[in-house]
Amino acid sequence: NPGKRRVWVGNRGRGLYCIKDDAIRHAPLTPEITDIISQNVLSLLYDSSRLWAGTGAGVVVYDNDGRPDVINKNNGLGNNVIHSLIPDGHGGVWASTNNGITNIDKTLSTIRNYGSQEGMTVTEFSDGAVFPAEDRVFFGGVGGWIEMVSNENSFSRKPFSPKIHFGEFIDNDSHTQIYLRAESEHGDMV
C-alpha cells in the first residue's frame, strides 16, 4: 500500500505481518479465525482499496480501515485452501483452490465456483501458479493448467501440459541462473 508506506508479508504457519516505519508487527487475520491452518497465508493481493489474504481457511479481505471480511466454504467458496489471488479486471478477484477456481465480485456478495462439475479436468492448483495475459488468466495445477477468460467468466476445457526446455544455464561462481521456456500447444516457445 504505497499511500500508507507499509509492506504486507504472509507465510506458512506464522500468518500475516506488516512492516511499517522500520517495525515488524504480527497482524492477526481475524478474531474468529485462530486455527493453525488459517495461519498459512499462501497468497496476498492489494487492489486499490483492499488487502486480500488467501489462507488455508479461506480469503480474508481487509478494507482501508482494517475491517476484515471472511470468505470461506460457509459462505460460498468451493474450497478453503487459496493458492493464488489475481484481479479479474472488473474489480473482483480470481482465486485458485484445492477444488477449482473461484471468482469473487468486487462487492464480495457474488461468488462463482468453477470445478469438475463444470467440466474442469484440472481442479487442484499450486501456490502462486498464476499468470495474467490480456483478458485471460492461466492457473497451473496438478495435471496441467486452466485458462480463464475474464470477460466471459469461462475457461478452456482442454488442459495442456507444456514441454519444458532449458534455455540457458549460467554459473557465475556466486549464483546459478536457469532459464526455462515452455512450448505452447501450437509449438511456439513462451
Side-chain angles (χ1 to χ4, degrees), residues 67-81:
R67 288 185 302 266
D69 281 305
V70 178
I71 302 168
N72 56 29
K73 284 183 75 168
N74 295 335
N75 52 14
L77 272 183
N79 185 272
N80 283 341
V81 179

Side-chain angles (χ1 to χ4, degrees), residues 20-66:
K20 181 180 177 186
D21 299 327
D22 296 325
I24 299 174
R25 71 173 177 81
H26 184 255
L29 290 165
T30 70
E32 305 87 41
I33 298 179
T34 57
D35 63 329
I36 190 66
I37 195 72
S38 67
Q39 297 306 311
N40 288 333
V41 178
L42 307 174
S43 56
L44 291 172
L45 171 68
Y46 184 80
D47 64 19
S48 60
S49 62
R50 297 176 288 198
L51 175 68
W52 300 68
T55 75
V59 180
V60 182
V61 185
Y62 298 93
D63 65 16
N64 275 334
D65 295 324

Side-chain angles (χ1 to χ4, degrees), residues 145 160-167 179-190:
W145 69 48
F160 174 71
S161 295
K163 294 179 182 175
I164 303 295
H165 301 270
F166 285 95
Y179 297 92
L180 299 175
R181 297 194 67 164
E183 187 175 320
S184 77
E185 55 192 319
H186 306 293
D188 303 323
M189 296 299 285
V190 291

Side-chain angles (χ1 to χ4, degrees), residues 12-170:
R12 285 185 182 264
R14 301 279 178 150
L16 184 63
Y17 287 83
C18 180
I19 303 170
K20 181 180 177 186
D21 299 327
D22 296 325
I24 299 174
R25 71 173 177 81
H26 184 255
L29 290 165
T30 70
E32 305 87 41
I33 298 179
T34 57
D35 63 329
I36 190 66
I37 195 72
S38 67
Q39 297 306 311
N40 288 333
V41 178
L42 307 174
S43 56
L44 291 172
L45 171 68
Y46 184 80
D47 64 19
S48 60
S49 62
R50 297 176 288 198
L51 175 68
W52 300 68
T55 75
V59 180
V60 182
V61 185
Y62 298 93
D63 65 16
N64 275 334
D65 295 324
R67 288 185 302 266
D69 281 305
V70 178
I71 302 168
N72 56 29
K73 284 183 75 168
N74 295 335
N75 52 14
L77 272 183
N79 185 272
N80 283 341
V81 179
I82 307 300
H83 292 288
S84 64
L85 296 164
I86 192 164
D88 70 359
H90 305 287
V93 168
W94 290 109
S96 66
T97 76
N98 273 354
N99 190 25
I101 303 289
T102 297
N103 184 258
I104 305 166
D105 81 337
K106 62 185 171 185
T107 66
L108 308 181
S109 62
T110 303
I111 299 168
R112 174 80 198 269
N113 297 303
Y114 300 85
S116 58
Q117 307 87 330
E118 290 74 30
M120 276 191 176
T121 55
V122 176
T123 57
E124 183 178 344
F125 294 91
S126 302
D127 293 352
V130 61
F131 180 77
E134 297 178 19
D135 66 338
R136 299 170 191 284
V137 179
F138 297 89
F139 293 94
V142 177
W145 69 48
I146 291 293
E147 174 186 4
M148 299 298 293
V149 181
S150 284
N151 60 357
E152 298 172 12
N153 274 351
S154 65
F155 62 92
S156 168
R157 294 178 188 267
K158 183 177 139 190
F160 174 71
S161 295
K163 294 179 182 175
I164 303 295
H165 301 270
F166 285 95
E168 191 171 352
F169 178 82
I170 301 171

